[in-house]
Amino acid sequence: MSRPQNRAQAGALARAAAMSGAVDLSGLKERADAERSRAAAPPRTPAAPAGQETSAPGAVPPIVEITEATFESEVIARSDQVLVLVDLWATWCGPCKQLSPILERLAQQADGRWILATVDVDANPRIAQAFGVQSIPTVVAIAAGQPVSAFQGVQPEAQISAWIDEILGKVGDRLTGLPSTGEAPVEEPGDPRMEAAGALLDEGDFDGALEAYRALAQEDPSNLEAASAARNIEFVVRARAHDPAVVDSAAPGDVDAALAAADVLLLNQQPEDAFDRIIDVVRVTSGDDRARARERLLSLFELFDPAETFVVAARRKLASALF
């Protein structure tokens, strides 16, 4: 990562990091998203003919393809709003090729009363395992985050339609409904103090911004955005103060140099290498040095979503190094 050429650019970089809750999140997020979507299957449903839209802009489409990475948001979370039918299929499955078009046709006609989530079980085996699928096709109805009914094999269209109506009759009042797309959402006014802190960042006043965000977080512990911004600015300021050459020049056993090298590596979007550098210190030290290295590593973890694969892996390595 090249260093910003002036204070304004530095402020913009820090603000982007602070507002999104991690250090230089653009590159790291792309890597995480790429890893999560490696198992994604190619589209099954053909595009709508020219001039014919299947849903309004911003609307939830009636048919969505699901991967292990999107299952939580597109099935579990969505099922609080609307009934979700999960169609578990595979490209080699003959009966699937008979059932899926029926489900897709019904979903297109459902007018938002329910949506169809399609899952290629070969590309997403953990979803099939979670449902305990023994054979395909299998269709599972999800409402309010829980499976409520299911069937296997090919069924007549009228029978499937009646099955859906029966489920909606039982659980429909528990669902909030899909968000309306007819009106633009009303944007709530932001906290002027947060805006002022952001302006300080844009101007390159790291110290002023850090003080402002800290004050906001202390005043209101529920202001997670301010707390996250403060953590990120603290890191960026500390990491930018190091000589980048410390990554190669740090002497074995020099704890301060190892921690500095980890900061530089993390700022350069190398979280695995950064975490490993500190874990190596934990392995070969004891007492205050080990405690300091451990605390630094835990503070770096807080810059990221705890579910990120590189954070989970590093936590396991840390536990192994400690015990």
Side-chain angles (χ1 to χ4, degrees):
M1 178 189 302
S2 60
R3 295 198 176 198
Q5 298 300 311
N6 54 52
R7 291 174 63 84
Q9 288 176 317
L13 170 65
R15 188 176 193 190
M19 291 301 100
S20 45
V23 183
D24 187 67
L25 307 174
S26 57
L28 293 172
K29 184 178 185 301
E30 289 171 2
R31 293 173 55 193
D33 288 347
E35 181 173 349
R36 291 192 186 107
S37 62
R38 281 183 301 180
R44 293 168 62 217
T45 306
Q52 177 181 339
E53 294 187 3
T54 58
S55 59
V60 177
I63 304 168
V64 291
E65 294 180 17
I66 301 302
T67 69
E68 291 168 0
T70 62
F71 183 80
E72 174 67 27
S73 61
E74 296 293 340
V75 176
I76 301 301
R78 186 74 68 196
S79 70
D80 286 334
Q81 300 173 329
V82 66
L83 179 68
V84 180
L85 300 190
V86 181
D87 175 21
L88 296 123
W89 65 283
T91 55
W92 47 263
C93 170
C96 297
K97 296 176 182 178
Q98 301 175 45
L99 177 63
S100 291
I102 296 174
L103 295 172
E104 291 170 359
R105 182 164 56 251
L106 290 173
Q108 294 283 3
Q109 299 169 356
D111 195 26
R113 294 190 307 132
W114 58 275
I115 62 174
L116 178 65
T118 66
V119 178
D120 182 342
V121 297
D122 288 337
N124 304 278
R126 287 187 293 182
I127 296 178
Q129 292 168 7
F131 284 120
V133 172
Q134 301 295 320
S135 64
I136 55 173
T138 290
V139 178
V140 183
I142 308 291
Q146 299 294 326
V148 294
S149 187
F151 71 82
Q152 294 181 338
V154 180
Q155 305 290 337
E157 182 169 334
Q159 185 172 327
I160 296 173
S161 183
W163 174 71
I164 296 171
D165 288 341
E166 181 181 359
I167 295 172
L168 288 172
K170 293 178 179 178
V171 304
D173 59 347
R174 294 158 49 190
L175 308 176
T176 63
L178 292 173
S180 172
T181 58
E183 299 180 1
V186 177
E187 185 174 344
E188 297 184 4
D191 186 333
R193 296 172 300 172
M194 290 289 289
E195 294 296 328
L200 291 172
L201 269 181
D202 288 342
E203 295 167 4
D205 184 355
F206 288 87
D207 293 337
L210 180 56
E211 181 179 355
Y213 282 125
R214 280 176 174 168
L216 286 165
Q218 290 173 359
E219 178 182 332
D220 180 8
S222 67
N223 190 337
L224 302 181
E225 184 178 358
S228 175
R231 286 195 300 268
N232 280 279
I233 296 170
E234 288 171 352
F235 168 77
V236 171
V237 169
R238 186 182 71 230
R240 285 173 50 80
H242 300 314
D243 181 351
V246 73
V247 173
D248 299 317
S249 65
D254 187 336
V255 176
D256 289 332
L259 298 183
D263 282 347
V264 173
L265 288 166
L266 190 55
L267 192 63
N268 287 336
Q269 303 185 41
Q270 297 174 261
E272 294 95 336
D273 293 338
F275 296 160
D276 285 347
R277 186 67 70 102
I278 300 179
I279 291 169
D280 288 342
V281 173
V282 172
R283 287 196 178 100
V284 300
T285 56
S286 60
D288 291 342
D289 284 342
R290 170 180 266 206
R292 187 154 60 97
R294 174 181 174 276
E295 290 171 3
R296 173 62 62 82
L297 184 58
L298 294 178
S299 72
L300 296 184
F301 287 162
E302 291 182 350
L303 300 175
F304 300 94
D305 183 335
E308 292 287 7
T309 53
F310 49 79
V311 174
V312 174
R315 285 190 179 278
R316 290 173 180 163
K317 291 179 182 179
L318 175 60
S320 176
L322 288 170
F323 304 107

